[in-house]
Amino acid sequence: VFCGTVMLALCLILGTLLGWHIYLIIHNMTTIEYHEGIRAAWLAKKSGLSYRHPFDVGVYKNISLVLGSNMLTWLCPTAISHLKDGTSFPTVRHTS
């Protein structure tokens, strides 16, 4: 019973973290960008504007930028050949 309780608790905690990180990958954000986006959305709403995260370029493109373009390696992302220099990233403005 104890092992089952511990296993259930760990599954809930790790499942929540997995879901959170899948959400972040789908929206191409880090945790800090997420929290900054909440404030930016609040300020935009307050002034009558709408806010969209500038690096959210669509679900498939976001996942490809993080895990690579080969869908077969998404479950075991070990390749780094898709990574660039880390100083420039596509934005909504560049992909439209």
Side-chain angles (χ1 to χ4, degrees), residues 16-55:
T16 303
L17 285 172
L18 175 67
W20 172 244
H21 283 93
I22 289 172
Y23 172 83
L24 289 175
I25 288 173
I26 287 173
H27 293 283
N28 204 10
M29 286 190 242
T30 63
T31 305
I32 294 173
E33 289 172 336
Y34 171 79
H35 289 290
E36 288 175 350
I38 291 173
R39 179 164 168 73
W42 177 75
L43 289 172
K45 183 179 178 183
K46 192 174 172 181
S47 46
L49 302 171
S50 64
Y51 172 76
R52 180 173 174 193
H53 182 62
F55 299 105

Side-chain angles (χ1 to χ4, degrees), residues 48-76:
L49 302 171
S50 64
Y51 172 76
R52 180 173 174 193
H53 182 62
F55 299 105
D56 185 0
V57 291
V59 175
Y60 178 76
K61 182 77 172 165
N62 290 340
I63 294 172
S64 297
L65 287 170
V66 175
L67 300 176
S69 58
N70 186 356
M71 292 175 78
L72 298 174
T73 61
W74 285 2
L75 294 177
C76 185

